[in-house]
Amino acid sequence: MNEAFLIHSGASALAVAALVALAGWARIARKTPRLDETRARALLAEDFPDEILEQVWLASDGAGAIAKSGASALLLMRVGDSYAARQIPWVKAIAAGTRDGEVAFTPGDAAAPRLRLNLATWPPKGLAA
Amino acid sequence: MKFDPVALATPFFILTVILEIVLARLEKVDARYEAKDTAVSLTMGLGSTIAGVLIGGATFAASLWVYQHRMFNIPMTAIWAWGAIFLLEDLTYYWFHRMSHERRIWWAAHVNHHSSQHYNLGTALRQTWTGGIAGTWALWLPLSFLGFPPAMVAIEKGISLVYQYWIHTETIRRLPPWFEAVFNTPSHHRVHHARNPRYLDRNYAGILIIWDRLFGTFQPELDEEPCRYGLVKNLATFNILRVAFHEWMAIATDLVREPRHALGWLFGPPGWSPDGSRQTSREIKQAWASRIQEAPKKAA
């Protein structure tokens, strides 16, 4: 690797840092108000249009939700100013452990290794088994 | 002196990203930037440049070797030759891009360009780190075999990449109809980046949208259906290594678990699985079409 390449890469790295700082300063991300049930259902319907949601539990910080659909759990988590959703077996969802006050769901997906939701009580009473 | 359109355009890239952010901040244009998402996009761009340098020597050597066995001598100084390389490179790009969406091994290298849920000039720079490994560069070798000098092919590829930069924006809605008919535009490419079933696997064009019209993959942007950007299954992380390699990791997991289906895992369409438990783009579109057909019946 020659000197010019190193200079070019170093300058590019500085430009990246400056642009990220500018994007943060500008505050032009999408607005992400606390999720309510209507919005959570709408977002889940985008990813799982054929699923019928029996019940939805909202994260207490409004940054996600979990829904029961038959033998599946549908997970929704805020990522930046957007959302990611995954489907896992319900039995796996109710067995999820709590870490740092959040329930950590593991879809077994390299693109979504862990989805953490701030759920006040988990698993829900009466649906735990 | 080496002519590299991408290197020459880098200051333009930086200035226009600044311009888009500042104009959005001033509410003059409708653009959205999220800091972590922007960091991932730009770091992927920087890493792609470094990966390109690391593997560029080998790919250029391959094209030189093929050129030594060329069919014709095509002069770099002839205008007709530049017209021909423009069309042939753009056609090659169309098929490269289509393969990159329709076969999982190449999708693994391309997926990260689509992994942002934003569509802005920063997204344009979210480029692959693993394109060289995926080997799609070999698709351009026939051009050198025909007799186009490798430098000429490299310049045309650079021009195409620079052209495709400016179409990654929501600030430009529609261009004049004659332009939309012939060229790839922000509107056409928004469709390409959308995850709406209707828009999946459409508009693969580089510079000329005519290839999509010709090969049946064109889909206009519809005002009644706004684009939702990102992947069918969006990333739940900003970890740059997962962004760069997640589909390769998923392929490796599938290969280890069920090696007898290796061909399907590698060369099947993204979403293919031997038991049909996952959905390909085609299946997602079919399910969507069925829902559309069923909706009026349910309403009646």
Side-chain angles (χ1 to χ4, degrees), chain B residues 232-280:
Chain B
V232 169
K233 287 185 175 182
N234 278 312
L235 300 182
T237 176
F238 288 115
N239 180 319
I240 192 81
L241 295 177
R242 286 194 180 273
V243 174
F245 300 112
H246 69 91
E247 191 63 26
W248 293 110
M249 292 159 71
I251 289 176
T253 304
D254 289 334
L255 286 173
V256 168
R257 205 180 60 236
E258 290 185 276
R260 70 181 187 283
H261 294 297
L263 281 177
W265 292 130
L266 289 168
F267 297 104
W272 176 88
S273 57
D275 61 359
S277 60
R278 306 177 192 177
Q279 276 189 307
T280 63

Side-chain angles (χ1 to χ4, degrees), chain A residues 1 5 9 12-13 15-16 19-20 22-24 26 28-30 46-47 49-50 77 79-84 86 110-113, chain B residues 14 17-18 21 24-25 32-35 38-39 42 46 50 53-54 117-118 195 228 232-238 242 246 249 291:
Chain A
M1 263 179 259
F5 174 72
S9 297
S12 297
V16 166
L19 290 174
V20 172
L22 181 69
I28 49 173
R30 297 186 187 109
E46 286 181 5
D47 279 64
D50 294 323
M77 186 180 84
V79 184
D81 63 351
S82 305
Y83 290 88
R86 288 295 186 276
Chain B
I14 295 169
V17 170
I18 292 172
I21 292 174
R25 166 75 183 176
R32 291 277 168 265
Y33 279 79
E34 198 274 338
T38 305
L42 301 183
L46 178 58
I50 294 168
V53 169
L54 293 177
Q117 294 192 54
H118 284 269
R195 61 194 289 260
R228 292 183 278 110
V232 169
K233 287 185 175 182
N234 278 312
L235 300 182
T237 176
F238 288 115
R242 286 194 180 273
H246 69 91
M249 292 159 71
R291 281 196 300 278

Side-chain angles (χ1 to χ4, degrees), chain A residues 15-112:
Chain A
V16 166
L19 290 174
V20 172
L22 181 69
W25 165 83
R27 294 181 186 277
I28 49 173
R30 297 186 187 109
K31 289 188 171 37
T32 51
R34 291 175 62 89
L35 278 179
D36 58 21
E37 187 169 335
T38 306
R39 177 75 177 137
R41 281 180 178 273
L43 287 167
L44 285 167
E46 286 181 5
D47 279 64
F48 311 108
D50 294 323
E51 299 291 336
I52 295 166
L53 310 189
E54 297 162 26
Q55 198 169 342
V56 177
W57 294 268
L58 297 172
S60 43
D61 59 0
I66 180 168
K68 186 174 188 308
S69 173
S72 294
L74 309 180
L75 302 162
L76 182 70
M77 186 180 84
R78 191 159 71 209
V79 184
D81 63 351
S82 305
Y83 290 88
R86 288 295 186 276
Q87 183 170 14
I88 64 172
W90 178 255
V91 288
K92 192 175 174 185
I94 58 175
T98 302
R99 195 169 165 181
D100 301 328
E102 294 177 321
V103 184
F105 299 95
T106 50
D109 181 336

Side-chain angles (χ1 to χ4, degrees), chain A residues 30 81-82, chain B residues 20 30-34 37 41 113-124 126 163-173 184-194 203 221 227-230:
Chain A
R30 297 186 187 109
D81 63 351
S82 305
Chain B
E20 191 174 47
D30 185 19
R32 291 277 168 265
Y33 279 79
E34 198 274 338
D37 177 84
S41 292
H113 179 61
H114 287 269
S115 62
S116 174
Q117 294 192 54
H118 284 269
Y119 191 76
N120 53 43
L121 291 174
T123 310
R126 185 180 282 230
Y163 178 87
Q164 290 177 58
Y165 167 76
W166 73 275
I167 60 178
H168 288 84
T169 185
E170 293 192 284
T171 62
I172 299 170
R173 297 311 301 173
N184 198 6
T185 62
S187 174
H188 298 329
H189 207 58
R190 281 194 290 272
V191 164
H192 178 68
H193 273 257
N203 298 3
E221 183 182 31
C227 294
R228 292 183 278 110
Y229 305 108

Side-chain angles (χ1 to χ4, degrees), chain B residues 21-33:
Chain B
I21 292 174
V22 170
L23 289 177
R25 166 75 183 176
L26 298 172
E27 298 182 358
K28 301 291 183 193
V29 298
D30 185 19
R32 291 277 168 265
Y33 279 79

Side-chain angles (χ1 to χ4, degrees), chain A residues 45-51, chain B residues 196-198 200 232 276 278-296 298:
Chain A
E46 286 181 5
D47 279 64
F48 311 108
D50 294 323
E51 299 291 336
Chain B
N196 314 43
R198 183 199 298 273
L200 286 177
V232 169
R278 306 177 192 177
Q279 276 189 307
T280 63
S281 290
R282 182 176 296 215
E283 289 161 349
I284 292 169
K285 289 168 91 76
Q286 284 171 347
W288 165 78
S290 298
R291 281 196 300 278
I292 297 290
Q293 281 184 335
E294 291 297 317
K298 283 183 183 172

